[in-house]
Amino acid sequence: MKLYDKAAQAAEYIRARANINDVTCGVILGTGLSGLREMIEQPIVIAYDDIPYMPSSTVESHAGQLIIGTLHGVRVAAFAGRFHYYEGYSEEEITFGVRVLGLLGAEALFVGSAVGGLQGEQSAGDIALIRDHINLLPINPLRGENDERFGPRFPDMMKSYDELFRQAAHDIAQEENIKLHNAVYVATQGPSLETPAEYQYMNRIGGDVVGMSTVPEVIAARHQGIRVCVLGVISNVCFPLDRLTKTTIEEVLKTVEEAAPKMQLLVSRLIQTTKLFF
Ligand code: HPA
């Protein structure tokens, strides 16, 4: 069965379970953004395992759920639990949720994730607003036969990170006194972290932050014409190399936990702005 038909079945299932026609925006509740699910009103929680063709989530604790509800009166579909290349998932599995979102009518996608900082002026706990990316993953979710029902064979990637949302993010950050760095996201395979030479290389090729996710979802979303906004919590500083220290998962999680309220506030207020755009 074609991917489009699988995604259409999944979308039909979600429509029936949540008793909705469409959603306005999707959210991928990545690292730093998981608390946003508590803000969703009248939530209907659907296990990934119940959704036809949705891969099941293996790693994260409370992961593997789709939450449908409203935030500031905007209909949202939020994914708790995502799929990474380093876990062994295929391009189709990594981006299946985004494909379904498109078929549910989503106009915008918000993504949160943890990133390593590749620029000297960044500090751990700062927030990066992604303005562009460099894909160093050995995959592209659009590889293979193109299905025109999703989008064109060669989608343009010039303005992938929506300018209106970025402007709105800067306005909100200023009002809320949150420091926001504009950043180019370098996508890397993981799961091992980078060597010092690799961090230096990523800085030299124009990267401002590095992470192990996000880019496949962004490419699939843009293929379907969904507007994208990505925020990253800088969980560890990787450049210049004399600031590089051993990265421990405990340290990363602590930094992310402290910065999470800023991410949640930014994304929840950004979702509110979608009322102005659509
Ligand atoms: N490298 C890759 N991915 C990451 C990092 C890093 O240093 N920090 C958070 N995600």
Side-chain angles (χ1 to χ4, degrees):
M1 189 189 287
K2 286 198 191 278
L3 171 63
Y4 187 94
D5 300 307
K6 292 182 190 170
Q9 272 193 32
E12 273 322 299
Y13 177 83
I14 293 161
R15 282 196 169 95
R17 270 285 296 271
N19 195 22
I20 51 158
N21 287 323
D22 275 345
V23 301
T24 303
C25 58
V27 190
I28 298 177
L29 299 171
T31 313
L33 211 48
S34 54
L36 195 78
R37 69 178 287 169
E38 313 306 335
M39 297 171 73
I40 298 175
E41 290 165 24
Q42 293 164 324
I44 291 167
V45 179
I46 306 175
Y48 287 178
D49 285 344
D50 291 346
I51 302 172
Y53 305 106
M54 186 82 185
S56 36
S57 202
T58 51
V59 280
E60 295 157 61
S61 45
H62 52 274
Q65 292 176 336
L66 174 65
I67 301 111
I68 309 271
T70 57
L71 231 169
H72 303 297
V74 177
R75 170 93 57 212
V76 299
F79 290 91
R82 72 199 301 191
F83 305 100
H84 301 90
Y85 178 79
Y86 64 77
E87 295 171 86
Y89 292 105
S90 67
E91 346 9 6
E92 189 172 313
E93 288 170 318
I94 295 168
T95 54
F96 189 73
V98 175
R99 292 316 198 175
V100 175
L101 264 183
L103 298 188
L104 286 170
E107 312 245 19
L109 174 65
F110 297 89
V111 184
S113 73
V115 292
L118 298 170
Q119 291 296 342
E121 72 276 12
Q122 298 163 342
S123 306
D126 286 355
I127 309 290
L129 174 66
I130 309 307
R131 66 171 182 85
D132 205 343
H133 73 228
I134 298 172
N135 186 15
L136 297 186
L137 293 172
I139 56 159
N140 186 303
L142 310 187
R143 180 169 174 269
E145 189 190 350
N146 185 53
D147 194 324
E148 291 282 334
R149 291 173 291 180
F150 282 127
R153 170 76 289 186
F154 301 109
D156 178 66
M157 295 295 288
M158 282 298 289
K159 292 188 175 169
S160 296
Y161 297 84
D162 196 82
E163 282 178 11
L164 278 174
F165 284 132
R166 284 194 285 126
Q167 188 53 57
H170 277 294
D171 293 345
I172 295 165
Q174 199 167 15
E175 277 173 39
E176 303 284 356
N177 214 4
I178 296 171
K179 194 170 174 187
L180 204 56
H181 301 277
N182 288 311
V184 173
Y185 181 110
V186 180
T188 186
Q189 297 185 40
S192 51
L193 290 158
E194 288 66 38
T195 63
E198 286 167 339
Y199 282 129
Q200 179 145 51
Y201 159 73
M202 288 171 176
N203 166 276
R204 281 198 187 144
I205 62 171
D208 301 306
V209 296
V210 52
M212 301 175 194
S213 64
T214 303
V215 163
E217 290 99 320
V218 169
I219 293 172
R222 293 308 301 146
H223 187 221
Q224 294 173 100
I226 301 172
R227 291 157 70 162
V228 168
C229 183
V230 179
L231 290 160
V233 187
I234 297 172
S235 58
N236 50 309
V237 173
C238 319
F239 195 86
L241 297 185
D242 55 19
R243 289 175 74 194
L244 194 56
T245 52
K246 189 168 178 283
T247 304
T248 65
I249 186 69
E250 292 77 19
E251 207 183 316
V252 164
L253 292 179
K254 186 165 168 282
T255 306
V256 169
E257 200 182 314
E258 282 166 13
K262 291 190 279 186
M263 286 271 278
Q264 285 159 31
L265 180 65
L266 279 169
V267 173
S268 95
R269 288 203 51 193
L270 277 166
I271 288 172
Q272 199 171 16
T273 67
T274 59
K275 278 196 235 172
L276 308 174
F277 298 167
F278 306 126

Short mmCIF file of all heavy atoms in Angstrom, two decimals, residues 162-200:
data_model
loop_
_atom_site.label_atom_id
_atom_site.label_comp_id
_atom_site.label_asym_id
_atom_site.label_seq_id
_atom_site.Cartn_x
_atom_site.Cartn_y
_atom_site.Cartn_z
N ASP A 162 9.41 29.42 8.59
CA ASP A 162 8.48 30.50 8.25
C ASP A 162 8.86 31.86 8.85
O ASP A 162 9.04 31.99 10.07
CB ASP A 162 7.10 30.09 8.75
CG ASP A 162 6.03 30.92 8.12
OD1 ASP A 162 5.64 30.61 6.99
OD2 ASP A 162 5.61 31.91 8.75
N GLU A 163 8.93 32.86 7.98
CA GLU A 163 9.36 34.19 8.42
C GLU A 163 8.37 34.85 9.36
O GLU A 163 8.76 35.54 10.30
CB GLU A 163 9.58 35.09 7.20
CG GLU A 163 10.89 34.80 6.51
CD GLU A 163 11.11 35.65 5.27
OE1 GLU A 163 10.34 36.61 5.05
OE2 GLU A 163 12.05 35.34 4.53
N LEU A 164 7.07 34.63 9.11
CA LEU A 164 6.07 35.25 9.99
C LEU A 164 6.19 34.70 11.41
O LEU A 164 6.13 35.44 12.38
CB LEU A 164 4.66 34.97 9.46
CG LEU A 164 4.16 35.89 8.36
CD1 LEU A 164 2.81 35.40 7.84
CD2 LEU A 164 4.04 37.32 8.88
N PHE A 165 6.36 33.38 11.52
CA PHE A 165 6.51 32.79 12.85
C PHE A 165 7.81 33.25 13.51
O PHE A 165 7.86 33.46 14.71
CB PHE A 165 6.47 31.26 12.78
CG PHE A 165 5.09 30.70 12.60
CD1 PHE A 165 4.83 29.73 11.65
CD2 PHE A 165 4.03 31.15 13.38
CE1 PHE A 165 3.56 29.22 11.47
CE2 PHE A 165 2.75 30.64 13.22
CZ PHE A 165 2.51 29.67 12.25
N ARG A 166 8.86 33.38 12.70
CA ARG A 166 10.13 33.81 13.30
C ARG A 166 10.03 35.24 13.82
O ARG A 166 10.53 35.56 14.89
CB ARG A 166 11.27 33.66 12.30
CG ARG A 166 11.69 32.19 12.16
CD ARG A 166 13.00 32.02 11.46
NE ARG A 166 12.89 32.23 10.04
CZ ARG A 166 13.63 33.08 9.35
NH1 ARG A 166 14.55 33.81 9.95
NH2 ARG A 166 13.47 33.20 8.05
N GLN A 167 9.37 36.09 13.05
CA GLN A 167 9.17 37.47 13.50
C GLN A 167 8.34 37.47 14.79
O GLN A 167 8.68 38.15 15.77
CB GLN A 167 8.49 38.30 12.41
CG GLN A 167 8.42 39.78 12.70
CD GLN A 167 9.79 40.36 13.06
OE1 GLN A 167 10.73 40.25 12.27
NE2 GLN A 167 9.92 40.94 14.25
N ALA A 168 7.27 36.68 14.78
CA ALA A 168 6.40 36.61 15.96
C ALA A 168 7.19 36.08 17.16
O ALA A 168 7.04 36.57 18.28
CB ALA A 168 5.20 35.72 15.68
N ALA A 169 8.06 35.09 16.93
CA ALA A 169 8.86 34.52 18.03
C ALA A 169 9.77 35.59 18.63
O ALA A 169 9.91 35.68 19.86
CB ALA A 169 9.69 33.34 17.52
N HIS A 170 10.37 36.41 17.77
CA HIS A 170 11.25 37.47 18.29
C HIS A 170 10.44 38.49 19.09
O HIS A 170 10.88 38.95 20.15
CB HIS A 170 12.01 38.14 17.15
CG HIS A 170 13.24 37.37 16.76
ND1 HIS A 170 14.31 37.20 17.59
CD2 HIS A 170 13.54 36.69 15.63
CE1 HIS A 170 15.23 36.46 17.00
NE2 HIS A 170 14.78 36.13 15.80
N ASP A 171 9.26 38.85 18.60
CA ASP A 171 8.42 39.81 19.32
C ASP A 171 8.03 39.27 20.70
O ASP A 171 8.13 39.96 21.71
CB ASP A 171 7.13 40.12 18.52
CG ASP A 171 7.44 40.88 17.23
OD1 ASP A 171 8.58 41.39 17.10
OD2 ASP A 171 6.55 40.94 16.35
N ILE A 172 7.61 38.00 20.71
CA ILE A 172 7.19 37.38 21.98
C ILE A 172 8.39 37.29 22.93
O ILE A 172 8.29 37.60 24.11
CB ILE A 172 6.59 35.97 21.74
CG1 ILE A 172 5.30 36.09 20.92
CG2 ILE A 172 6.31 35.26 23.06
CD1 ILE A 172 4.81 34.76 20.32
N ALA A 173 9.55 36.87 22.40
CA ALA A 173 10.75 36.72 23.23
C ALA A 173 11.12 38.06 23.87
O ALA A 173 11.50 38.12 25.05
CB ALA A 173 11.91 36.17 22.41
N GLN A 174 10.99 39.13 23.09
CA GLN A 174 11.33 40.45 23.62
C GLN A 174 10.37 40.83 24.75
O GLN A 174 10.80 41.26 25.82
CB GLN A 174 11.27 41.47 22.50
CG GLN A 174 12.02 42.73 22.84
CD GLN A 174 12.24 43.61 21.61
OE1 GLN A 174 11.59 43.43 20.58
NE2 GLN A 174 13.13 44.56 21.73
N GLU A 175 9.08 40.61 24.51
CA GLU A 175 8.07 40.93 25.54
C GLU A 175 8.30 40.13 26.81
O GLU A 175 8.09 40.62 27.91
CB GLU A 175 6.67 40.56 25.02
CG GLU A 175 6.04 41.62 24.15
CD GLU A 175 4.74 41.10 23.53
OE1 GLU A 175 3.98 40.37 24.22
OE2 GLU A 175 4.53 41.40 22.35
N GLU A 176 8.70 38.88 26.65
CA GLU A 176 8.85 37.98 27.80
C GLU A 176 10.27 37.98 28.35
O GLU A 176 10.58 37.20 29.25
CB GLU A 176 8.46 36.54 27.41
CG GLU A 176 7.06 36.38 26.85
CD GLU A 176 5.97 36.44 27.92
OE1 GLU A 176 6.30 36.53 29.12
OE2 GLU A 176 4.78 36.39 27.54
N ASN A 177 11.13 38.81 27.75
CA ASN A 177 12.52 38.89 28.22
C ASN A 177 13.27 37.55 28.10
O ASN A 177 13.98 37.14 29.01
CB ASN A 177 12.54 39.38 29.67
CG ASN A 177 13.75 40.25 29.94
OD1 ASN A 177 14.53 40.54 29.02
ND2 ASN A 177 13.93 40.64 31.18
N ILE A 178 13.06 36.88 26.98
CA ILE A 178 13.73 35.61 26.72
C ILE A 178 14.78 35.85 25.63
O ILE A 178 14.48 36.43 24.59
CB ILE A 178 12.72 34.54 26.23
CG1 ILE A 178 11.71 34.22 27.33
CG2 ILE A 178 13.45 33.26 25.78
CD1 ILE A 178 10.54 33.34 26.89
N LYS A 179 16.01 35.38 25.90
CA LYS A 179 17.08 35.52 24.90
C LYS A 179 16.89 34.47 23.80
O LYS A 179 16.72 33.29 24.10
CB LYS A 179 18.42 35.30 25.60
CG LYS A 179 19.61 35.71 24.82
CD LYS A 179 20.81 35.67 25.75
CE LYS A 179 22.08 35.94 25.01
NZ LYS A 179 23.23 35.72 25.90
N LEU A 180 16.91 34.93 22.56
CA LEU A 180 16.66 34.02 21.44
C LEU A 180 17.78 34.17 20.41
O LEU A 180 18.05 35.28 19.96
CB LEU A 180 15.31 34.43 20.82
CG LEU A 180 14.50 33.43 20.03
CD1 LEU A 180 14.21 32.18 20.84
CD2 LEU A 180 13.17 34.07 19.59
N HIS A 181 18.44 33.06 20.06
CA HIS A 181 19.50 33.11 19.05
C HIS A 181 18.94 32.62 17.71
O HIS A 181 18.34 31.54 17.67
CB HIS A 181 20.65 32.16 19.41
CG HIS A 181 21.31 32.46 20.72
ND1 HIS A 181 22.29 33.42 20.86
CD2 HIS A 181 21.14 31.93 21.96
CE1 HIS A 181 22.70 33.44 22.12
NE2 HIS A 181 22.02 32.56 22.80
N ASN A 182 19.17 33.35 16.64
CA ASN A 182 18.87 32.82 15.31
C ASN A 182 19.90 31.74 15.01
O ASN A 182 21.09 31.94 15.26
CB ASN A 182 18.98 33.91 14.25
CG ASN A 182 17.83 34.88 14.36
OD1 ASN A 182 16.67 34.48 14.42
ND2 ASN A 182 18.14 36.17 14.39
N ALA A 183 19.47 30.61 14.45
CA ALA A 183 20.43 29.52 14.30
C ALA A 183 20.18 28.66 13.07
O ALA A 183 19.04 28.38 12.71
CB ALA A 183 20.40 28.63 15.55
N VAL A 184 21.28 28.24 12.46
CA VAL A 184 21.25 27.20 11.41
C VAL A 184 21.46 25.85 12.12
O VAL A 184 22.42 25.68 12.89
CB VAL A 184 22.36 27.44 10.37
CG1 VAL A 184 22.44 26.28 9.39
CG2 VAL A 184 22.12 28.75 9.63
N TYR A 185 20.54 24.91 11.88
CA TYR A 185 20.55 23.59 12.55
C TYR A 185 21.28 22.58 11.66
O TYR A 185 20.91 22.38 10.50
CB TYR A 185 19.10 23.17 12.76
CG TYR A 185 18.86 21.84 13.45
CD1 TYR A 185 18.33 21.80 14.74
CD2 TYR A 185 19.08 20.62 12.81
CE1 TYR A 185 18.06 20.59 15.38
CE2 TYR A 185 18.82 19.41 13.44
CZ TYR A 185 18.31 19.41 14.73
OH TYR A 185 18.03 18.21 15.36
N VAL A 186 22.31 21.96 12.22
CA VAL A 186 22.98 20.87 11.49
C VAL A 186 22.43 19.55 12.01
O VAL A 186 22.46 19.29 13.22
CB VAL A 186 24.51 20.91 11.71
CG1 VAL A 186 25.19 19.79 10.94
CG2 VAL A 186 25.09 22.24 11.31
N ALA A 187 21.89 18.73 11.11
CA ALA A 187 21.34 17.43 11.52
C ALA A 187 22.41 16.37 11.38
O ALA A 187 23.02 16.22 10.31
CB ALA A 187 20.14 17.06 10.65
N THR A 188 22.64 15.64 12.47
CA THR A 188 23.66 14.60 12.48
C THR A 188 23.03 13.27 12.88
O THR A 188 21.97 13.24 13.50
CB THR A 188 24.79 15.02 13.45
OG1 THR A 188 25.84 14.08 13.36
CG2 THR A 188 24.33 15.06 14.89
N GLN A 189 23.69 12.16 12.52
CA GLN A 189 23.10 10.83 12.74
C GLN A 189 22.95 10.44 14.20
O GLN A 189 21.98 9.83 14.58
CB GLN A 189 24.00 9.75 12.13
CG GLN A 189 24.19 9.82 10.67
CD GLN A 189 25.01 8.62 10.19
OE1 GLN A 189 24.84 7.49 10.65
NE2 GLN A 189 25.91 8.86 9.27
N GLY A 190 23.98 10.78 15.02
CA GLY A 190 24.01 10.21 16.35
C GLY A 190 24.14 8.70 16.28
O GLY A 190 24.30 8.15 15.20
N PRO A 191 23.95 7.94 17.36
CA PRO A 191 23.72 8.49 18.70
C PRO A 191 24.98 8.95 19.43
O PRO A 191 24.88 9.59 20.46
CB PRO A 191 23.08 7.31 19.44
CG PRO A 191 23.69 6.10 18.80
CD PRO A 191 23.89 6.48 17.35
N SER A 192 26.16 8.64 18.90
CA SER A 192 27.35 9.16 19.58
C SER A 192 27.37 10.67 19.39
O SER A 192 26.94 11.17 18.34
CB SER A 192 28.62 8.52 19.02
OG SER A 192 28.64 8.62 17.61
N LEU A 193 27.84 11.38 20.38
CA LEU A 193 28.01 12.83 20.25
C LEU A 193 29.21 13.08 19.34
O LEU A 193 29.92 12.16 18.96
CB LEU A 193 28.18 13.46 21.63
CG LEU A 193 26.88 13.42 22.44
CD1 LEU A 193 27.15 13.54 23.92
CD2 LEU A 193 25.93 14.52 21.98
N GLU A 194 29.43 14.35 19.01
CA GLU A 194 30.48 14.67 18.04
C GLU A 194 31.85 14.71 18.71
O GLU A 194 31.98 15.02 19.90
CB GLU A 194 30.19 16.03 17.41
CG GLU A 194 29.02 16.02 16.45
CD GLU A 194 27.67 15.74 17.10
OE1 GLU A 194 27.45 16.23 18.23
OE2 GLU A 194 26.88 14.99 16.51
N THR A 195 32.84 14.45 17.89
CA THR A 195 34.22 14.66 18.34
C THR A 195 34.51 16.16 18.26
O THR A 195 33.81 16.89 17.55
CB THR A 195 35.21 13.92 17.42
OG1 THR A 195 35.09 14.50 16.10
CG2 THR A 195 34.93 12.42 17.35
N PRO A 196 35.56 16.62 18.96
CA PRO A 196 35.91 18.05 18.83
C PRO A 196 36.11 18.46 17.37
O PRO A 196 35.66 19.53 16.96
CB PRO A 196 37.21 18.16 19.64
CG PRO A 196 37.09 17.07 20.67
CD PRO A 196 36.37 15.94 19.98
N ALA A 197 36.75 17.61 16.58
CA ALA A 197 36.98 17.96 15.17
C ALA A 197 35.66 18.09 14.42
O ALA A 197 35.51 18.94 13.54
CB ALA A 197 37.87 16.90 14.52
N GLU A 198 34.68 17.26 14.77
CA GLU A 198 33.37 17.34 14.10
C GLU A 198 32.62 18.62 14.49
O GLU A 198 31.99 19.26 13.65
CB GLU A 198 32.54 16.09 14.43
CG GLU A 198 33.03 14.86 13.67
CD GLU A 198 32.44 13.54 14.20
OE1 GLU A 198 31.97 13.49 15.36
OE2 GLU A 198 32.49 12.56 13.45
N TYR A 199 32.70 18.99 15.78
CA TYR A 199 32.05 20.25 16.19
C TYR A 199 32.67 21.43 15.43
O TYR A 199 31.99 22.33 14.97
CB TYR A 199 32.20 20.49 17.70
CG TYR A 199 31.25 19.67 18.56
CD1 TYR A 199 31.73 18.91 19.63
CD2 TYR A 199 29.87 19.68 18.34
CE1 TYR A 199 30.87 18.18 20.45
CE2 TYR A 199 29.00 18.95 19.15
CZ TYR A 199 29.50 18.20 20.20
OH TYR A 199 28.66 17.48 20.99
N GLN A 200 34.01 21.39 15.32
CA GLN A 200 34.70 22.47 14.62
C GLN A 200 34.26 22.53 13.15
O GLN A 200 33.99 23.59 12.60
CB GLN A 200 36.20 22.25 14.71
CG GLN A 200 36.98 23.33 13.98
CD GLN A 200 38.27 23.64 14.69
OE1 GLN A 200 39.04 22.73 15.01
NE2 GLN A 200 38.52 24.90 14.96
#
